[in-house]
Amino acid sequence: AQRVTQPEKLLSVFKGAPVELKCNYSYSGSPELFWYVQYSRQRLQLLLRHISRESIKGFTADLNKGETSFHLKKPFAQEEDSAMYYCALGSGNTGKLIFGQGTTLQVKP
Amino acid sequence: NAGVTQTPKFQVLKTGQSMTLQCAQDMNHEYMSWYRQDPGMGLRLIHYSVGAGITDQGEVPNGYNVSRSTTEDFPLRLLSAAPSQTSVYFCASITTGRDYEQYFGPGTRLTVT
């Protein structure tokens, strides 16, 4: 079964500390993985996708097929990074996404 | 471009009432989806469409109907609202291929009493 697991509901760090938001997936095939971010009372927006291997707002994520993980990392958290983060798994080319439960990142001053 | 728009922003219904959540996109995307967002559950796919006249069920379709008569519009109908349908509903319009991305609307916050 296709599944995305984000084990942490809440991650609280101080400004300047490193951040790692965990994401594990279950998928038989070549996964398409994404991170979406939702700032307070705003719509979800794409943060990054594994296929493009880009860094957005200082965040990176590496696909580890052996560990079936796609953890989101940032070396130095900023207060404006406080938001809800969702890991998502794409299902082929159907347009369907399977989302994890979400992790709230709280960056304290 | 307005992107993806949703109306209404907020709605309160009584149990048993019906209503339609509107979603429109001006990006000429073939694919569109409806999700519901609940605390601790993430977003769950209700229905999706790969083009005008073509729809399919997602993970949690019960109690909801959709139709896609035009590329632009993808309304979601609640047939007989139940308290379990209290949620935030997001519509998404989707590009496919290498630049795959889902563009989300601002959401509709629905409360069923």
Side-chain angles (χ1 to χ4, degrees), chain B residues 21-34:
Chain B
L21 280 63
Q22 302 291 345
C23 173
Q25 54 98 0
D26 60 3
M27 296 176 280
N28 203 32
H29 292 160
E30 292 295 322
Y31 288 28
M32 295 183 74
S33 296
W34 274 103

Side-chain angles (χ1 to χ4, degrees), chain B residues 84-96:
Chain B
S84 61
Q85 293 179 303
T86 294
S87 187
V88 181
Y89 292 85
F90 288 99
C91 175
S93 178
I94 306 157
T95 58
T96 56

Side-chain angles (χ1 to χ4, degrees), chain A residues 13-30:
Chain A
V13 302
F14 285 101
K15 176 182 171 182
V19 168
E20 182 178 67
L21 298 165
K22 292 184 167 46
C23 172
N24 290 92
Y25 67 90
S26 172
Y27 185 69
S28 55
S30 292

Side-chain angles (χ1 to χ4, degrees), chain B residues 29-89:
Chain B
H29 292 160
E30 292 295 322
Y31 288 28
M32 295 183 74
S33 296
W34 274 103
Y35 295 89
R36 59 178 288 172
Q37 181 185 41
D38 301 291
M41 308 283 286
L43 278 80
R44 292 179 291 169
L45 182 66
I46 305 171
H47 285 285
Y48 68 101
S49 169
V50 298
I54 308 169
T55 63
D56 204 350
Q57 296 181 351
E59 183 185 353
V60 287
N62 291 343
Y64 308 95
N65 269 2
V66 291
S67 60
R68 185 96 180 273
S69 56
T70 67
T71 300
E72 294 78 19
D73 300 299
F74 190 39
L76 177 73
R77 279 183 290 279
L78 279 70
L79 308 172
S80 178
S84 61
Q85 293 179 303
T86 294
S87 187
V88 181
Y89 292 85

